Amino acid sequence: MNVIRLKDVDLKSDDVSITTLCSHTALQIFHGAKYEGFKTVGLVESSRKWFYELFSNLIDEFIVVDSWSEICSSRVITRLRELNSVLIPHGSLVEYVGLEQVMNLPIPIFGLRSLLTVESNQHSKMELLSRAGIAIPKSYRFDDPIDTTVIVKLSGAKGGRGYFVASDNDEVAVKVNKLLVSGIIKDVSDVLIQEYVIGVPAYFHYFNSMVLNRLELLGIDIRYESNVDGLRRLPNYVLGNITPTFNIIGNLPLVIRESLLPTVMRYGMNFVDATRKYLPPGIVGPFSLESIIKDDGSIVVFEFSGRIVAGTNLYTQGSPYSSFYWDEPMSMGRRIAREIKLAIQAGKLSEVLT
Ligand code: AMP
């Protein structure tokens, strides 16, 4: 039996369970893990267990918690270790469990754990993109003169909640002050003030394979957000003082002009290189660059996610792009499981975990 030691855990590589929080992209992750023959473990809040039990064909064992903080308890950690769990991070992990707790969780995580820290801060996130040589929107400090429409963002994977647009310094000051007074932020530096880029939003789903030594583009989506995407249904004269909000509701599939794909791939490769340089050993597995494509065809990236994104839920049977790499239905969830399987076969499991 092959045993690797990681995070003080002896992981039996021929008995790995794919584990994730029952939220976000969990069904896709379990579905993909089953395709690849893995045992699956769902960490679930008691109030949501009934829902995930409807998919008990995908989930071999539940570990039930009354609140997400219990994930760090010795009861849960002990059981996860007994099950040889590899934890797959997704957008709810840091949001529900907390960054510090996730960083210290004594369970192997698939992918680059340190990227979750960078991702949870809007400023460090944009800095990594910029260092990667990827075109990003202009950022403003609180006191900088604002000469265009801006979007003001809070930190964390809140799915756009609480963001607002503003057109001048007074409007920014009034709205940021409200956030300060209500305690949502502690300091003006807690918000990111960014140029609002006009164009078509496009979110690229990449997978960086350590085992196959290649970057794959597995899909693209466009998000559907409330109320900004509903506003176009109303004529301008009734819009009046309705302000756009950016709560993500769902995702729609997207393919883009093939002539745009070289830039998309170059950005993805640049991002991988930047993580290798600044966050060694660099990213393994899924990540997303979130962009606006402008009318001149240039692509401006306003955000990244260093883990699987919810837009991949569109493609449980593969996407128009995954078909170019894989002659079989290849979702992002399945691709994660495939990478773990290939790494186990190559004796490289420790290289895809942190
Ligand atoms: P985020 O949390 O950064 O993914 O942003 C949530 C949503 O806000 C995005 O899906 C976009 O619709 C919108 N958004 C964020 N940043 C920008 C930007 N710089 N320009 C235009 N729209 C943006």
Side-chain angles (χ1 to χ4, degrees):
M1 177 164 295
N2 280 329
V3 178
I4 60 166
R5 195 160 177 81
L6 244 170
K7 287 256 153 204
D8 293 333
V9 186
D10 290 325
L11 190 70
K12 297 188 192 85
S13 58
D14 33 14
D15 193 31
V16 159
S17 311
I18 293 205
T19 301
T20 201
L21 264 63
C22 289
S23 177
H24 195 263
T25 37
L27 293 174
Q28 186 204 150
I29 291 169
F30 294 136
H31 181 248
K34 280 287 152 209
Y35 257 125
E36 298 300 311
F38 283 100
K39 207 168 48 182
T40 54
V41 179
L43 286 157
V44 69
E45 255 191 331
S46 42
S47 58
R48 280 199 203 171
K49 186 167 176 249
W50 71 271
F51 171 74
Y52 284 91
E53 273 174 344
L54 301 175
F55 305 95
S56 54
N57 52 320
L58 302 179
I59 308 166
D60 295 314
E61 177 161 337
F62 287 103
I63 301 180
V64 186
V65 294
D66 288 325
S67 72
W68 289 115
S69 59
E70 254 183 76
I71 284 180
C72 309
S73 67
S74 59
R75 171 184 71 90
V76 174
I77 299 295
T78 305
R79 188 65 192 136
L80 288 173
R81 288 177 167 189
E82 285 166 359
L83 288 163
N84 279 296
S85 280
V86 166
L87 184 66
I88 313 299
H90 55 50
S92 300
L93 178 67
V94 167
E95 197 56 20
Y96 290 172
V97 179
L99 180 63
E100 207 184 314
Q101 288 78 354
V102 171
M103 294 313 288
N104 294 320
L105 206 63
I107 296 295
I109 284 187
F110 178 72
L112 183 61
R113 196 184 292 234
S114 58
L115 197 53
L116 300 175
T117 308
V118 178
E119 191 188 328
S120 66
N121 180 288
Q122 295 280 14
H123 299 282
S124 50
K125 189 183 253 187
M126 296 318 294
E127 192 182 326
L128 184 63
L129 287 169
S130 155
R131 284 177 166 198
I134 292 170
I136 58 171
K138 185 175 172 187
S139 282
Y140 296 81
R141 279 186 304 250
F142 187 66
D143 296 326
D144 288 343
I146 287 169
D147 50 6
T148 184
T149 301
V150 292
I151 179 163
V152 180
K153 305 184 182 186
L154 310 175
S155 276
K158 294 191 170 46
R161 276 197 306 279
Y163 292 9
F164 61 85
V165 289
S167 301
D168 56 43
N169 286 79
D170 288 346
E171 200 179 349
V172 170
V174 168
K175 290 179 174 172
V176 167
N177 203 35
K178 271 194 195 151
L179 295 174
L180 284 167
V181 170
S182 58
I184 294 173
I185 59 168
K186 293 195 171 44
D187 189 85
V188 289
S189 64
D190 292 343
V191 295
L192 177 71
I193 305 171
Q194 196 175 68
E195 164 198 2
Y196 187 88
V197 183
I198 307 273
V200 171
Y203 304 79
F204 311 117
H205 317 154
Y206 304 92
F207 188 95
N208 189 44
S209 172
M210 189 280 299
V211 184
L212 302 182
N213 191 24
R214 71 180 189 194
L215 179 69
E216 299 167 10
L217 176 69
L218 290 188
I220 307 177
D221 77 284
I222 182 165
R223 284 199 201 152
Y224 217 52
E225 293 165 352
S226 189
N227 62 10
V228 67
D229 289 311
L231 296 181
R232 75 186 82 167
R233 303 175 68 189
L234 292 171
N236 272 345
Y237 71 88
V238 293
L239 287 178
N241 283 332
I242 300 176
T243 51
T245 52
F246 300 89
N247 291 338
I248 179 150
I249 302 298
N251 305 77
L252 304 174
L254 184 71
V255 286
I256 58 171
R257 292 167 68 150
E258 194 157 307
S259 57
L260 294 168
L261 290 180
T263 306
V264 173
M265 285 312 285
R266 188 165 45 76
Y267 278 7
M269 288 168 179
N270 284 3
F271 186 77
V272 171
D273 288 345
T275 62
R276 285 190 181 136
K277 188 164 172 195
Y278 301 109
L279 298 164
I283 189 159
V284 170
F287 68 96
S288 173
L289 296 181
E290 301 167 15
S291 79
I292 304 285
I293 307 182
K294 302 210 301 192
D295 60 357
D296 61 2
S298 60
I299 305 179
V300 181
V301 175
F302 61 82
E303 151 101 296
F304 77 80
S305 298
R307 35 85 194 160
I308 186 170
V309 287
T312 60
N313 281 340
L314 284 164
Y315 304 120
T316 49
Q317 292 299 321
S319 81
Y321 296 104
S322 70
S323 312
F324 298 143
Y325 304 92
W326 298 97
D327 204 10
E328 56 193 321
M330 187 57 74
S331 68
M332 190 62 86
R334 185 175 184 183
R335 186 66 189 86
I336 291 169
R338 177 66 60 88
E339 186 78 357
I340 293 173
K341 190 154 114 183
L342 292 173
I344 292 169
Q345 285 163 0
K348 292 180 170 177
L349 183 58
S350 60
E351 293 177 43
V352 300
L353 307 176
T354 49

